[in-house]
């Protein structure tokens, strides 16, 4: 009831009021925008959420004493089918029955929206640098906070609201949410105002939520789009994937296929997951190669470094569905791979209409490596 949804031709706008609406700071967090979008826009999910309140009022049972009993009930949405969950509780191995105390994770919730989703709140202000010293928001303080579980609270102690990160919810599907800022707020710790001198000669890219106006998009979304006639090579992790890079260059020398882009970078980080790192703490890399066939179709080869034997992942060759932004889709697929503990995610099927697995050679034998190259080359050419 605290949200209103307006659908335009080009975007979906979700408004919530000041004071009585959702806190503005939550809308600045992508994980909460995903959650609210899932609750409000997914078919059947909103009705299911509202059924909890309806069942609460319809299924209360009073025993005549001071207490009212309520057996929890709701109407589950059909779209939750296929979602995996991790639960805590005692398990009876003989009867195969489990008393669930807590649902810790829900992985693979479907949230697929091809229109941009814009969140509006009157208190959403873009922090910019002011002339005064300003004050730091207590909730964003870098000071250590000590929590004492045994000490009681009283009126003399300071109170502070701690924003805990969203945990345990994983969404699959195409979506793009952003917070719409209603002006600016002066802050000593914010961005520089337009026209101020900035140190250095580089381009400064924001890594937080998207904003309206301005000319520089957030770094995560500033990707190469469209067809590039010249080969783009980006290697942030040298000396990785040497064998596969050699095979890719051999395939690119063949007359009926072009290599448009070769990228080797660290896997994106995901909250509460450590699989973006190798066992020795170094960044775990991924390789992305973009090929164009003679018929104009483009395919992508994806590979994740599992040389520490943490998991075994096959090479993937995918082709994007029409209308899907390849750069954004691949970033999401890689995030879902980390979220899924180094397993290729179900979101590949949301973004891609071709998804082929090519297994690695079992050893360094030349014959097996040639066979791997042949399988990769053949799969890239399949229509």
């Amino acid at each position: 009831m605290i949200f209103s949804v307006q659908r335009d031709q080009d975007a979906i706008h979700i408004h919530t009021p000041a004071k009585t609406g959702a806190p503005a700071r939550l809308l600045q967090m992508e994980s909460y925008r995903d959650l609210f979008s899932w609750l409000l826009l997914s078919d059947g999910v909103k009705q299911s959420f509202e059924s909890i309140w309806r069942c609460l009022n319809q299924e209360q049972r009073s025993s005549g004493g001071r207490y009212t009993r309520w057996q929890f009930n709701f109407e589950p949405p059909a779209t939750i089918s296929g979602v995996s969950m991790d639960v805590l509780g005692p398990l009876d191995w003989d009867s195969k029955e489990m008393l669930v105390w807590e649902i810790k994770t829900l992985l693979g919730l479907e949230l697929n929206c091809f229109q941009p989703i814009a969140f509006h709140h009157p208190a959403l202000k873009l922090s910019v640098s002011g002339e005064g010293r300003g004050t730091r928001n207590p909730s964003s303080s870098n000071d250590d906070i000590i929590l004492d579980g045994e000490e009681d609270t009283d009126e003399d102690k300071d109170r502070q609201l701690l924003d805990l990160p969203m945990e345990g919810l994983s969404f699959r599907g195409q979506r793009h949410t952003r917070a719409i800022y209603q002006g600016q707020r002066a802050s000593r710790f914010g961005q520089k105002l337009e026209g101020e001198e900035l140190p250095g000669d580089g381009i400064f890219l924001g890594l937080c939520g998207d904003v309206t106006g301005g000319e520089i998009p957030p770094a995560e979304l500033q990707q190469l789009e469209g067809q590039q006639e010249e080969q783009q090579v980006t290697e942030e992790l040298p000396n990785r994937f040497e064998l596969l890079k050699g095979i890719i260059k051999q395939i690119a020398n063949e007359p009926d296929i072009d290599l448009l882009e070769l990228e080797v970078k660290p896997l994106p980080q995901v909250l509460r997951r450590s699989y973006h790192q190798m066992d020795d703490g170094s960044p775990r890399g991924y390789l992305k190669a973009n090929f164009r066939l003679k018929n104009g179709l483009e395919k992508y080869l994806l590979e994740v470094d599992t040389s520490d034997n943490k998991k075994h992942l096959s090479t993937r060759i995918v082709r994007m569905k029409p209308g899907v932004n390849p750069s954004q889709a691949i970033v999401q697929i890689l995030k879902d791979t980390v979220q899924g503990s180094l397993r290729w995610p179900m979101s590949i099927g949301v973004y891609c209409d071709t998804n082929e697995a090519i297994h690695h050679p079992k050893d360094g034998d030349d014959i097996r490596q040639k066979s791997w190259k042949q399988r990769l080359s053949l799969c890239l050419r399949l229509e």
Side-chain angles (χ1 to χ4, degrees):
M1 296 190 306
I2 64 174
F3 292 100
S4 64
V5 179
Q6 299 176 2
R7 298 177 182 268
D8 292 341
Q9 184 175 0
D10 299 327
I12 297 175
H13 299 273
I14 299 177
H15 297 260
T16 188
K19 305 295 185 182
T20 58
R25 62 182 177 276
L26 298 185
L27 303 185
Q28 294 176 308
M29 303 169 63
E30 183 181 8
S31 55
Y32 275 97
R33 296 198 302 268
D34 285 345
L35 174 61
F36 294 144
S37 299
W38 180 70
L39 287 172
L40 295 167
L41 304 178
S42 301
D43 293 338
V45 175
K46 184 172 183 290
Q47 291 84 347
S48 175
F49 189 81
E50 292 171 344
S51 73
I52 297 175
W53 176 256
R54 184 170 61 254
C55 292
L56 171 64
N57 287 275
Q58 293 176 350
E59 301 187 16
Q60 286 184 355
R61 299 291 183 268
S62 177
S63 59
R66 294 186 301 168
Y67 302 103
T68 298
R69 296 182 62 86
W70 172 53
Q71 182 173 348
F72 179 80
N73 194 10
F74 74 109
E75 300 169 7
T79 54
I80 209 171
S81 177
V83 173
S84 62
M85 64 174 65
D86 294 331
V87 299
L88 295 179
L91 171 65
D92 187 335
W93 286 100
D94 296 331
S95 64
K96 306 300 182 184
E97 293 182 349
M98 183 175 185
L99 176 61
V100 176
W101 287 344
E102 178 185 356
I103 299 176
K104 287 192 68 68
T105 65
L106 288 172
L107 305 178
L109 296 169
E110 185 173 354
L111 174 55
N112 208 19
C113 184
F114 293 96
Q115 289 181 291
I117 304 171
F119 283 83
H120 302 261
H121 191 292
L124 275 174
K125 304 290 185 181
L126 180 62
S127 295
V128 296
S129 292
E131 295 180 357
R133 289 182 54 85
T135 58
R136 185 188 294 269
N137 188 337
S139 63
S140 62
S141 173
N142 291 326
D143 297 335
D144 292 335
I145 298 176
I146 299 177
L147 302 179
D148 192 336
E150 299 181 357
E151 183 72 15
D152 292 334
T153 61
D154 57 50
E155 294 299 326
D156 295 331
K157 289 187 172 62
D158 294 334
R159 299 187 178 219
Q160 183 170 322
L161 180 63
L162 301 179
D163 288 333
L164 299 180
M166 290 282 290
E167 297 182 28
L169 295 182
S170 170
F171 295 93
R172 59 185 177 91
Q174 179 167 331
R175 61 199 179 275
H176 173 48
T177 66
R178 61 176 181 172
I180 304 299
Y181 292 92
Q182 315 291 327
Q184 299 176 338
R185 175 189 291 112
S187 169
R188 179 187 174 192
F189 307 98
Q191 301 182 17
K192 292 292 184 181
L193 289 171
E194 183 179 359
E196 287 186 315
E197 266 191 9
L198 295 176
D201 300 324
I203 299 176
F204 290 80
L205 304 178
L207 294 176
C208 55
D210 197 5
V211 298
T212 58
E215 298 177 355
I216 302 177
E220 185 177 342
L221 302 180
Q222 188 182 20
Q223 305 286 345
L224 292 174
E225 297 182 3
Q227 297 179 345
Q228 302 291 328
E229 297 301 330
E230 296 183 359
Q231 177 181 328
Q232 304 288 333
V233 178
T234 303
E235 289 195 56
E236 293 187 9
L237 297 175
N239 304 322
R240 302 279 185 100
F241 308 104
E242 291 299 321
L243 175 60
L244 181 55
K245 286 189 292 187
I247 290 176
I248 288 173
K249 291 175 182 177
Q250 294 177 34
I251 295 175
N253 287 329
E254 298 172 5
D256 59 341
I257 190 168
D258 293 323
L259 175 63
L260 303 182
E261 183 181 6
L262 179 61
E263 179 179 276
V264 177
K265 288 184 176 181
L267 276 176
Q269 297 186 27
V270 176
L271 194 65
R272 303 297 183 187
R273 291 292 186 271
S274 61
Y275 288 95
H276 65 282
Q277 292 181 328
M278 306 287 281
D279 274 348
D280 60 2
S282 62
R284 186 183 302 278
Y286 73 89
L287 179 146
K288 178 186 74 172
N290 181 200
F291 294 90
R292 183 190 297 157
L293 308 179
K294 63 180 180 179
N295 59 5
L297 293 178
E298 293 189 18
K299 287 190 176 182
Y300 293 83
L301 184 150
L302 301 177
E303 177 85 345
V304 173
D305 186 358
T306 55
S307 57
D308 59 351
N309 294 317
K310 193 85 171 179
K311 291 287 182 71
H312 296 286
L313 280 177
S314 58
T315 308
R316 291 287 165 152
I317 295 178
V318 299
R319 183 180 67 188
M320 297 299 162
K321 293 180 179 180
V324 172
N325 184 308
S327 299
Q328 295 182 17
I330 289 175
V331 168
Q332 188 60 49
I333 288 171
L334 293 173
K335 286 183 176 180
D336 293 343
T337 301
V338 177
Q339 177 73 33
S341 303
L342 291 185
R343 289 191 297 268
W344 290 117
M346 293 184 294
S347 57
I348 291 183
V350 176
Y351 299 113
C352 308
D353 55 14
T354 295
N355 175 26
E356 301 292 341
I358 309 296
H359 297 291
H360 299 142
K362 293 183 180 180
D363 51 44
D365 182 77
D366 289 342
I367 296 177
R368 293 183 183 273
Q369 292 179 10
K370 290 179 180 178
S371 174
W372 189 31
K373 174 196 168 185
Q374 291 174 354
R375 286 181 284 130
L376 290 171
S377 180
L378 178 61
C379 188
L380 283 167
R381 288 169 168 80
L382 290 177
E383 298 184 11

